[in-house]
Amino acid sequence: VAGSFTVDFAVADGTAVDPDDYSVATAGTSVTFPDGTVSGDTQSVTVNIVDDVILEASENLDIALGAVSNPLIPVIDGNGVGTITDNDGLGAGEGISVADFTVDEGAGTADFVITYTGPTVAGSFTVDFA
């Protein structure tokens, strides 16, 4: 391509939320391809990923390409999805447990105590019992 050109972009929350899960590190809202760009050349939009200690499902964020400064270059796929997978899995001995109890029948009630051990969990959850 003769002459440089720019491509506008916008990064948006999906299930991942800025700044809790990511932040855009690339300055501005466009990337520039230099004069002499050939087929296969690339530019990047860098996203900083937040490494928290919360047990959570995979999360996603979106990027949408906008206007190209050279009207002869069309956008052929203007949407991308980034997926952030969690690295805070449970370790050995972590999860849900229930404690035994011993009680005199005159006490009237007793509780099975259910305990979660592990990293902080994003959102609430339920445990079925019988």
Side-chain angles (χ1 to χ4, degrees):
V1 176
S4 65
F5 63 94
T6 60
V7 180
D8 293 343
F9 69 86
V11 176
D13 293 352
T15 52
V17 177
D18 177 13
D20 297 339
D21 301 306
Y22 75 94
S23 63
V24 179
T26 299
T29 58
S30 65
V31 292
T32 302
F33 285 81
D35 181 31
T37 294
V38 298
S39 180
D41 283 356
T42 63
Q43 295 296 318
S44 296
V45 174
T46 301
V47 177
N48 294 322
I49 305 302
V50 176
D51 186 8
D52 57 27
V53 292
I54 299 173
L55 183 63
E56 55 197 345
S58 292
E59 299 171 308
N60 61 56
L61 58 144
D62 303 310
I63 186 169
L65 301 182
V68 180
S69 65
N70 182 333
L72 299 175
I73 302 172
V75 174
I76 57 171
D77 181 3
N79 295 297
V81 175
T83 301
I84 304 169
T85 58
D86 192 50
N87 65 347
D88 299 307
L90 298 177
E94 293 181 322
I96 298 291
S97 63
V98 62
D100 300 333
F101 70 82
T102 302
V103 64
D104 183 272
E105 66 183 18
T109 63
D111 293 324
F112 281 107
V113 177
I114 301 168
T115 303
Y116 166 74
T117 305
T120 303
V121 177
S124 62
F125 64 94
T126 60
V127 178
D128 294 337
F129 65 89

